[in-house]
Amino acid sequence: LSVRFYTTTIRCQHTDASTITPTLKKRKKSILGSYMAARKNTSRKKRLLKRTRQNRPVPTWVVIRTNRKVRTNPKRRLWRRSDVNVG
């Protein structure tokens, strides 16, 4: 089903003519979108997000692959105990 709007054709999701809802491009969410407060500048948010990604356990497949020689992540930290030091 296609609907014409001012010389442009928009494909619709539903085939029922009574509920025509044109498909719109999904708006890209920012990586920094809903995680951090707006008063931080972007570079600081990027540094904080990098530290957040680093703060995760070692994947199970790594533990298996290394025959349990690598078990813990040395960069792992708790948010209360240690500071991030990103500025």
Side-chain angles (χ1 to χ4, degrees):
L1 176 71
S2 61
V3 182
R4 274 206 160 302
F5 291 108
Y6 301 110
T7 69
T8 59
T9 304
I10 299 175
R11 287 276 172 203
C12 296
Q13 290 176 341
H14 305 289
T15 56
D16 186 16
S18 62
T19 57
I20 295 176
T21 54
T23 56
L24 301 173
K25 285 186 179 178
K26 289 184 179 178
R27 191 173 68 185
K28 276 190 174 180
K29 276 192 172 181
S30 172
I31 296 170
L32 311 172
S34 60
Y35 297 109
M36 309 233 178
R39 68 176 185 269
K40 296 179 185 67
N41 57 21
T42 308
S43 56
R44 186 175 176 200
K45 288 180 191 178
K46 283 182 182 178
R47 290 192 301 268
L48 284 168
L49 279 169
K50 182 180 178 183
R51 294 296 173 102
T52 307
R53 284 193 303 268
Q54 287 175 346
N55 189 26
R56 58 184 301 269
V58 176
T60 311
W61 65 269
V62 174
V63 177
I64 294 167
R65 186 173 157 185
T66 58
N67 293 326
R68 295 188 182 173
K69 288 180 182 174
V70 177
R71 286 187 192 173
T72 59
N73 180 0
K75 291 189 178 182
R76 196 78 201 257
R77 61 178 178 76
L78 187 69
W79 65 274
R80 273 186 193 245
R81 288 190 201 141
S82 59
D83 195 14
V84 182
N85 294 328
V86 294

